[in-house]
Structure formats: structure tokens, C-alpha cells
Amino acid sequence: MAGGLTGNVAVIESVLGEITDETNQARAFPLAEVTWSIGCVLGPLIGGYLSHPVERYPETFGHFNFLKQHPYFLPCFVSSLITLCSIVVAVIFLEETLPSLVAAKRDKKAQPQPIDSPQRTDYGSIEPMTPKMKTKPQTLEIVKPPPSAMELLSCPRIRQVLIVGFFLSFLCVAWETVFVLFAYTPASLGGLQRSPAEIGFFLSTLGVLGILLSLVAFPALQHRFDTLPLYRACMACWPVIFVLFSATSIFARLVLRKNTIGTEGDAAALAFIWIGVSMILLIGRVAAMGFATHMIMVKMSAPNRESLGASFGLSQTMACLARALGPAFVSSLFALSIDKQILGGHFVWLVMFCIAVGGYAATQRLR
């Protein structure tokens, strides 16, 4: 069910592509990333604070036996209400944007309309004048049928955009997955040895950074450097991130004592570790701006407006495939590197660095 509902992402991207042009797409497409970031902040809060409400808020929910028997009902119920509200808003306010249906609706409204019959007849006439018809000038718009998925995949330009999109989604989900593992792993094994509370703070910071960069930085950068150079710059951030992972791991292993979670070691050295973590988070969010540029690239690569839905659907398919493979791949690789101490536990960073370089190299084929 979750996989099927992911198709809504392609629908949202298609709608944005159909209602925007070159003058406003740099401000519109990042809004999809903003909504995702807001969900990443609010979702864990709803799940964390509303689960087990009887134990957490006994004065309010202590007498509800149902919530005691079903401790996760309340966050699920609130999430369902939010979904229901979004459905109502879409049904009432969201208008059709598919060009063929919009054109058909416009042509239907432009049908000839009779004017009021005159009150008199012409001289010598024995019957009233036939009501005249007033017509609005119409322009014939030929709408080409949308190409099939195979026809789109045969197009070299859109095929290359989909390949880069796969790399982008794979690297992003792998980065988000391995960061949690890296932050929690003991420093003696090459991790940061952070507490769950600190990891939660890191993840919340990711969401806030994503919102700020999408709303403020992306439109200005896209206007200044254009879409393709910005896309390449975002993909170039991923190799840097995995180098920083390795460097921070080495420094943390030198500074933090074994089997501790806290403030042992020199304060200045610990500050450098926090700086390394901050750089990983910041550059990671800059790299994630590639999703907005990717949506613009998909729109630019589509043969016509009628094919936007199919193009974004293929893009979302590639993203789902990457998000299915990424977590399992990087988690297994991280565990193997730590357990066998391959390259001192840095084998995972070497492999991910090579994949990131491959993703950047793929952008060089985009035109």
C-alpha cells in the first residue's frame, strides 16, 4: 500500500510541471521538497509524542482502556486525519492541469451560444427572425498523444536524466541511513558514539536545514547558475560527504574513549567532531537540493506537456527502486566494514565514495 501511494509524488511533480514555466519553476519545484522536510519533522514528533498516551499523559488519557490496549492508535488516527484533510482540500480546490483535458474543457465552454431573439421582424417578413448565434473565435490546438513508457526510455536525454536521478535517490537514502548507524556506533569501532537524543536532534536539524535551503537558497542559486550546472554541483557534493564521514570517524576514534557516550577528551577536539558532523549535515542538505533540479530536468527532457505524467512516473519508479536498494546495501556494507574491520572500518566510505563519483560522472552526459 505504501509503495502504491508513492505514486502521488509523480502526480504532484506532474501538476507542478504543467502549471509552471521557466519564470517560476525555480520557486515552485522546491516546495515539494519543503513539504517533505516538514513531514520529516512533524512525522516523528507525532509518532513519538502520541504513542503510549496512557503512560505519557495519564491525566488526559488514563481512563481510555482502548488506548491502553492499542498504544499506537492515537498517532495513526491523527495521521489519518491529516491525510483526510489533504484529500478534502484536493477534491475542493485542486483543478485539472492535464493539457488535453484542460483544452477539452475550454473548447466545451467556447461552444456557440444563442443571443436573445429580437422583438421585431424584418419588413416584409411574416416570421420572426431566426435567432443569430454568436461565436467566440477559437484556436485549434493539436494535442499529440503522449508517448508510451518504452518510447520515453528510447529517448537518450530522458534516459540519462533517469540514470542520474537513480544515483541521486540512492545516495541520499544511503546517506540518511548510514548517518544514524555511524552516529550510534561506538567510537572504538569507527562511529561517533552519540546518544539517541543527540541523533534525534541531528535528524530534526536535517529537516529544518532542508526547509531553509529549499525556500531561500535554491531559487537564488538556480537563477544565478542555471539548472544543469547547479545539478552537477549538487551531485559533486556526495563524494565530499563520504570523505567527511571517513575523516570524522578517524578523528572520533582518536579522541573519544572506549565504551563512553559523552564528553570525555579534550573540549577542542570534541568541538572538531561536532564541526565535522555539522559539515556532513550541511553539505548533505545542499546535495539534496538536487531533487528540485532533477524535477526541472525531467520537465525539460519530456517530449511534450502531455508526456509529463509518464516522465515523472518513470522518474519516481527509478527513485523507488533506489530507495528500496539503498538502505539494505549501505547497512550491510557498514556492518561488514565494522565487523571485519576492512580498511580499518572505512571500506563502506570507499565504496560509497566511488558510487558518488559515478553519479557525478553521469551528470557530465546531460545536455
Side-chain angles (χ1 to χ4, degrees), residues 69-145:
Q69 297 174 358
H70 305 278
Y72 297 103
F73 171 80
L74 189 58
C76 294
F77 178 72
V78 172
S79 300
S80 299
L81 287 181
I82 295 175
T83 303
L84 180 61
C85 290
S86 67
I87 294 174
V88 172
V89 170
V91 170
I92 297 177
F93 298 105
L94 185 61
E95 298 181 359
E96 180 59 64
T97 61
L98 186 64
S100 59
L101 295 182
V102 172
K105 186 177 181 180
R106 183 178 61 246
D107 293 341
K108 184 177 180 180
K109 289 184 177 180
Q111 293 295 327
Q113 301 174 359
I115 60 175
D116 294 334
S117 300
Q119 299 298 319
R120 64 180 181 83
T121 60
D122 284 346
Y123 292 103
S125 173
I126 58 176
E127 293 183 356
M129 265 193 338
T130 303
K132 295 182 179 179
M133 310 295 286
K134 64 177 181 180
T135 60
K136 298 180 181 179
Q138 302 181 32
T139 58
L140 296 177
E141 181 178 350
I142 301 176
V143 180
K144 297 181 179 180

Side-chain angles (χ1 to χ4, degrees), residues 283-296:
I283 298 177
R285 294 319 304 178
V286 172
M289 287 196 301
F291 285 104
T293 58
H294 176 70
M295 286 190 284
I296 296 176

